[in-house]
Amino acid sequence: MNNEIRDTPSPTTPNAQLRAGKRRRRLNEALIGYLFVLPAAIVTFLFGLWPVVMGFYESLKSGSPLTNRYVGLNNYIRSLGSLTYVILFGLSLIFIYVGYRSWRTLYTEWKIGGPRPWYYIVCGVLGGLGLVVMAFDLVTDAESIGWVSTVLVLATVVGYFAADRSQGRSLAGHGRPILIVLGLAIALGAVWIGGPALVNALDLGTIGWLLLLIPSAYVLYQLMMRLARIRTTPLITASLLMSTLMVLAVLLAIYAAMQLESDVAEAQRIAGQIFNQEVLNTDVDVAANDARIDGLVVDGEVSVEVNIDGETVEATLAPDAFPSVAVDRISQLQTALSNNQRVKVILPDGTEAEGELTGLSMGQTLDLNLLAEDPEAVSTQQIYSALDIGENVIRAEGFTQSLGNQLLAALGILVALGNILTINHTRELLDEDKHGTRRRLGLTRILMGAAIFGLFLYLLSAVQLNRQAASALNLLTDDQFKLAYQAATGETPRSNLRTDTLAAQLMYWPQVFLIGTGMLLIGAAYLAWQNMQKQETKRGFGGMLMLSVLLMVGGWLTISELPRTITLSGRDTQNTLDALVRTALYAVGTVPIQLALGLALAYLLFSEIKWGKSMFRVIYFMPYIAPSVATAAVFLVIFSSKPNALSNEVLKVFGVDPLLWLNEPSGIVRLFYDKILGGNPLHIPGALQGPSLALFTVILYNIWVFAGYNAVIFLAGLGAIPGELYEAAEVDGAGRWSRFRSITLPLLSPTTFFLTMLSIIGTFKAFTHIYVLRGQAVGQEVDTMSIYIFNQLYAANDPGYAAALAFILFGVILILTMTQNRLSQRQVFYG
């Protein structure tokens, strides 16, 4: 059926000509509209999109603006730790899922008699590669690959034309269009490579380029006109979106895997070098308080009286009498002999003998000057003990599985899971077991499950090796690590090579694996919960319920690695997390109150106040239009830490002691429990103490500024509600609260949604007034994410790290906005 030529209307029929004419008219109207918005699009690209793209490229660099160099994902790892790789792999899976949805569009069109999708997919892959290469070329100025993107994009356009013209034909009918596409791609590549050289050789300059733009514009116009006659626009859009997302997913996953492997490789190599039997058995001389000094000799001949076998003999002290002396008996390489001390002497006949020193008065000592080549006090001992770091590490010789093999195993699990889902979908479509298809699919599913189980056990064992090597590194002191590294390599480790950093790197993949497994288990629990509702028997329902609960518990246990991930990632990650937490507390404490207060003020003005509404609007709106620096400076005076400040004078009226306000790091819940209730503030857990009083002061400022703005916007929304609705409700006996709940709130939902989104984005981006108010703050109690980014940019002079933090903040705002849009779809009523 697919190889037959479909009956399609000829393009020369009147109906086809009429449709083509309509498309041309629509295209001409669209081109005129685009011509008017072209300046705005150029400005948006140059000053909006382009800085964002360049900012992302800068976030992959590190150092001052003059010495910055490419460091890959190091800035993101500094701020998020191994969560960076979780996010990147998660984005790859999201891109694959969205690309799969686009593939379903192509597949559905094909099943209902549409053209084959394979040719569109090939063109889409070329187009996706071209767009990715073009973006990389624009960002990195890699001029040597610029022609590749142009050739790919143009070849994609020509290929889509050929696929559209050849739809419905057999495979042999596509040979000529494909040859045309390849020929045009080669010709365009030659023109792109030789064109600039030709222009430079002819010295055309700017005028020459302008002359070339005229035919280029005409060609572009003709191209747009031909696009209007394309009959498979949905297929082109779906294939291009699918291929671009798939290409991005693959490239992103490969890039993240390469970065992860390079970050972990050094830690794996060092663990294998220092944790083995050879280094364990190596004895080293280390400084110690109870050490002995070897190689000591007496300075000159010293005659002593010794008691040898009951006979007192005057003899010369032997040179090797003190081959090793305890450190605590030496002062500046001097020692003292006393009566009855064992010594080695040279007898008059030249023989050596040992005896007890005699002939000294009570309390008298014989002082000796000693010589030593190395007077350092040392002790010979092992570098580390197997019992201290773990015998399993020594048995495994610090071995950890290759990260590449582990990533391939994880990929195999994902592919097997995808195959199982595909098999389940296929089995549901089969009404009966034709030729044993259902049975073979069931056996294949069992084999896939067995493969997943085996790969999962391999990953668990590999993760355990990483964990025990990381634990051993954490148990080493700095001196032990230095000695072990010297014993293994014969070199001194560089200054920035630390055990905690190496241990954190070894834990990158275990953390990614456990958190990713937890997310997959939670997703599987959700699917099992949905499937539970389809079960018809009690046994099936109970089994799916138990499975969903077990999957949820397992997902929660594995994803609980997240807090430890933040802890092991270092100080920078903790600072970033603290800044995000302060920003979240600032938003949570600001947005609900200012919205509720604004709505209350607007409702009172709209319903109760008959005179002076305009004046009240101006009064409420003035804090918003006043300069934020000036109003923040006023708040500095009002909420000063001085006892005679206005805020403290007000507290004195209620019998409350003066507060430090912007200088107070304690949480407001603890302060309330202490100052008002008279309890011990330490009885309140740290997690429940709330935002600090300094941050609460900033929250008060934000509420004061934006509550009036929200009230004015709510007034406009209230004025748009028809009064007939209130009258009808009042006739039906509805009270004030019923009218407000059933009429006002639903019809104000678009306004509320708009203000909520604006407030959340605004609080996460707030900077000016916080920067002014933090002038009196102690520490970082009011430093939200925007302030933290500013400090990293100017104080630390690290634009790359600041750019990475800015993109993290952008990602948080984007997730919150998307979540809010998703949750508000059914609550927002547009009439």
Side-chain angles (χ1 to χ4, degrees):
M1 176 65 184
N2 291 330
N3 294 330
E4 297 178 0
I5 301 177
R6 292 185 175 89
D7 296 331
T8 56
S10 174
T12 58
T13 60
N15 290 335
Q17 294 177 356
L18 182 61
R19 287 194 296 270
K22 290 182 179 179
R23 283 195 293 267
R24 281 194 294 270
R25 285 194 299 272
R26 288 197 300 268
L27 180 61
N28 286 329
E29 295 174 356
L31 289 176
I32 294 174
Y34 288 137
L35 183 63
F36 280 105
V37 301
L38 182 61
I42 294 175
V43 171
T44 302
F45 176 79
L46 292 178
F47 300 102
L49 181 62
W50 181 249
V52 172
V53 177
M54 288 301 299
F56 177 74
Y57 179 62
E58 288 297 324
S59 69
L60 304 179
K61 298 180 180 180
S62 181
S64 64
L66 297 179
T67 61
N68 61 346
R69 67 190 188 281
Y70 175 78
V71 294
L73 298 173
N74 287 358
N75 288 326
Y76 292 95
I77 294 173
R78 280 180 59 189
S79 53
L80 291 178
S82 58
L83 285 180
T84 302
Y85 298 108
V86 176
I87 293 172
L88 291 181
F89 288 128
L91 283 176
S92 299
L93 293 178
I94 292 173
F95 289 161
I96 290 175
Y97 174 74
V98 178
Y100 168 77
R101 296 291 297 269
S102 300
W103 156 251
R104 294 293 302 174
T105 301
L106 295 172
Y107 182 79
T108 304
E109 288 289 334
W110 179 37
K111 282 299 184 180
I112 62 177
R116 288 189 179 94
W118 318 115
Y119 311 106
Y120 295 93
I121 292 176
V122 172
C123 296
V125 171
L126 293 177
L129 284 173
L131 293 176
V132 172
V133 173
M134 183 179 294
F136 181 79
D137 176 35
L138 291 174
V139 171
T140 61
D141 295 329
E143 298 178 357
S144 58
I145 63 172
W147 63 273
V148 176
S149 61
T150 304
V151 170
L152 288 174
V153 171
L154 293 178
T156 301
V157 174
V158 177
Y160 275 136
F161 277 123
D164 180 72
R165 296 295 298 274
S166 304
Q167 62 170 318
R169 299 179 185 175
S170 62
L171 181 61
H174 286 276
R176 184 177 177 185
I178 293 175
L179 291 176
I180 293 175
V181 171
L182 293 177
L184 285 176
I186 296 173
L188 290 171
V191 170
W192 180 261
I193 297 174
L198 178 63
V199 171
N200 293 331
L202 297 178
D203 196 19
L204 294 178
T206 305
I207 298 177
W209 281 112
L210 291 176
L211 293 176
L212 290 176
L213 284 177
I214 297 175
S216 301
Y218 175 75
V219 172
L220 182 61
Y221 174 77
Q222 291 295 327
L223 179 63
M224 297 297 291
M225 295 300 293
R226 289 183 177 273
L227 285 173
R229 292 193 291 270
I230 287 183
R231 292 164 290 179
T232 56
T233 303
L235 297 180
I236 293 174
T237 304
S239 62
L240 185 60
L241 178 62
M242 180 202 73
S243 302
T244 304
L245 291 176
M246 291 295 185
V247 168
L248 281 176
V250 172
L251 293 179
L252 189 61
I254 293 175
Y255 177 72
M258 292 174 60
Q259 287 285 313
L260 179 59
E261 194 167 8
S262 65
D263 288 340
V264 177
E266 183 180 35
Q268 289 182 316
R269 176 179 56 82
I270 292 176
Q273 288 175 333
I274 67 176
F275 294 128
N276 51 63
Q277 199 69 37
E278 181 180 354
V279 177
L280 177 67
N281 295 331
T282 301
D283 293 332
V284 294
D285 294 334
V286 297
N289 293 329
D290 58 347
R292 306 180 72 84
I293 296 181
D294 296 329
L296 295 176
V297 295
V298 180
D299 186 8
E301 292 185 357
V302 178
S303 296
V304 296
E305 287 186 2
V306 293
N307 188 323
I308 301 177
D309 295 333
E311 182 182 359
T312 300
V313 179
E314 184 176 347
T316 304
L317 188 66
D320 56 347
F322 298 97
S324 178
V325 177
V327 176
D328 56 2
R329 294 186 57 191
I330 296 177
S331 174
Q332 296 181 352
L333 291 181
Q334 292 182 352
T335 187
L337 301 179
S338 58
N339 281 328
N340 303 322
Q341 184 174 343
R342 299 286 300 178
V343 294
K344 182 182 292 186
V345 296
I346 300 177
L347 298 178
D349 58 0
T351 60
E352 292 187 359
E354 289 189 0
E356 293 181 357
L357 177 64
T358 60
L360 298 176
S361 303
M362 183 65 65
Q364 183 183 1
T365 59
L366 178 64
D367 294 330
L368 298 177
N369 293 325
L370 305 176
L371 296 178
E373 297 181 358
D374 186 7
E376 182 181 2
V378 296
S379 175
T380 302
Q381 63 183 40
Q382 286 183 311
I383 298 176
Y384 53 78
S385 171
L387 295 177
D388 294 335
I389 66 171
E391 296 182 356
N392 292 332
V393 182
I394 302 301
R395 293 195 192 100
E397 296 185 344
F399 173 76
T400 52
Q401 289 286 347
S402 169
L403 188 59
N405 295 337
Q406 297 181 61
L407 291 173
L408 289 177
L411 179 62
I413 290 177
L414 292 177
V415 172
L417 285 174
N419 288 335
I420 289 177
L421 293 176
T422 304
I423 290 172
N424 291 338
H425 179 70
T426 305
R427 283 170 58 90
E428 290 178 358
L429 296 179
L430 295 176
D431 296 333
E432 56 183 12
D433 192 8
K434 295 182 178 180
H435 309 292
T437 303
R438 289 178 59 90
R439 183 173 59 84
R440 287 195 296 269
L441 289 176
L443 292 176
T444 306
R445 184 172 58 183
I446 294 175
L447 292 177
M448 288 291 175
I452 290 175
F453 182 73
L455 291 175
F456 189 76
L457 288 181
Y458 164 75
L459 286 176
L460 283 180
S461 63
V463 164
Q464 183 59 30
L465 289 175
N466 280 48
R467 292 173 70 97
Q468 70 181 20
S471 177
L473 280 171
N474 277 324
L475 293 173
L476 289 180
T477 64
D478 293 337
D479 292 335
Q480 287 177 324
F481 172 70
K482 181 179 179 181
L483 292 172
Y485 189 87
Q486 289 176 337
T489 63
E491 301 177 355
T492 302
R494 61 181 189 271
S495 58
N496 62 344
L497 201 61
R498 297 163 44 194
T499 54
D500 55 347
T501 303
L502 295 174
Q505 290 174 348
L506 282 177
M507 288 299 297
Y508 281 170
W509 169 245
Q511 290 164 354
V512 171
F513 172 71
L514 292 175
I515 295 174
T517 302
M519 292 180 177
L520 287 178
L521 289 177
I522 291 175
Y526 174 73
L527 294 177
W529 182 269
Q530 285 189 326
N531 194 24
M532 177 186 67
Q533 302 174 3
K534 302 178 182 178
Q535 301 299 318
E536 298 179 355
T537 62
K538 293 183 179 179
R539 179 177 297 179
F541 182 86
M544 294 305 297
L545 177 61
M546 181 64 67
L547 178 62
S548 62
V549 171
L550 291 177
L551 289 173
M552 182 63 68
V553 172
W556 177 256
L557 291 177
T558 52
I559 209 172
S560 61
E561 183 72 16
L562 188 59
R564 188 165 178 264
T565 299
I566 301 298
T567 304
L568 293 178
S569 298
R571 184 181 60 184
D572 290 332
T573 304
Q574 190 62 47
N575 291 337
T576 303
L577 178 64
D578 292 341
L580 284 173
V581 170
R582 283 191 293 268
T583 307
L585 289 174
Y586 175 62
V588 171
T590 299
V591 175
I593 298 177
Q594 72 182 27
L595 286 175
L597 185 58
L599 179 58
L601 291 174
Y603 190 75
L604 290 176
L605 282 176
F606 185 79
S607 302
E608 303 296 336
I609 298 178
K610 305 300 182 182
W611 301 95
K613 287 186 178 182
S614 300
M615 181 186 67
F616 282 110
R617 287 181 181 179
V618 172
I619 293 175
Y620 292 150
F621 204 68
M622 281 184 65
Y624 178 76
I625 63 176
S628 57
V629 175
T631 53
V634 173
F635 258 66
L636 283 177
V637 177
I638 296 175
F639 292 95
S640 173
S641 58
K642 298 179 180 179
N644 59 349
L646 180 59
S647 56
N648 286 327
E649 291 291 342
V650 174
L651 291 179
K652 290 179 183 178
V653 175
F654 298 96
V656 180
D657 295 335
L659 299 177
L660 297 178
W661 296 104
L662 288 168
N663 291 332
E664 180 58 67
S666 301
I668 56 174
V669 178
R670 281 186 173 178
L671 286 174
F672 180 82
Y673 189 70
D674 179 22
K675 301 292 185 181
I676 306 300
L677 302 181
N680 187 353
L682 297 179
H683 292 169
I684 304 297
L688 301 178
Q689 66 173 334
S692 64
L693 182 62
L695 185 60
F696 180 73
T697 307
V698 181
I699 291 174
L700 290 178
Y701 173 86
N702 202 86
I703 294 172
W704 174 71
V705 170
F706 287 95
Y709 169 79
N710 293 337
V712 172
I713 302 300
F714 275 126
L715 274 173
L718 289 171
I721 300 177
E724 295 82 0
L725 296 177
Y726 291 106
E727 295 175 359
E730 190 173 0
V731 169
D732 291 339
R736 180 187 295 269
W737 171 245
S738 299
R739 295 197 300 270
F740 179 80
R741 183 187 59 189
S742 304
I743 299 176
T744 305
L745 284 181
L747 295 182
L748 274 182
S749 57
T751 306
T752 307
F753 173 72
F754 166 75
L755 289 176
T756 303
M757 181 181 296
L758 202 64
S759 299
I760 291 176
I761 296 175
T763 51
F764 272 82
K765 292 170 55 180
F767 174 79
T768 305
H769 62 277
I770 301 178
Y771 189 78
V772 175
L773 293 172
R774 74 186 291 268
Q776 291 188 357
V778 177
Q780 301 176 347
E781 297 303 326
V782 298
D783 285 0
T784 57
M785 195 65 180
S786 57
I787 300 295
Y788 183 59
I789 295 171
F790 180 82
N791 289 335
Q792 294 300 320
L793 179 62
Y794 287 97
N797 195 25
D798 195 347
Y801 185 52
L805 293 173
F807 272 93
I808 292 172
L809 180 61
F810 168 74
V812 172
I813 295 175
L814 182 62
I815 292 173
L816 290 176
T817 304
M818 295 176 63
T819 303
Q820 185 182 5
N821 286 335
R822 184 73 175 177
L823 296 176
S824 302
Q825 284 181 351
R826 297 181 180 179
Q827 282 75 27
V828 179
F829 177 73
Y830 290 99

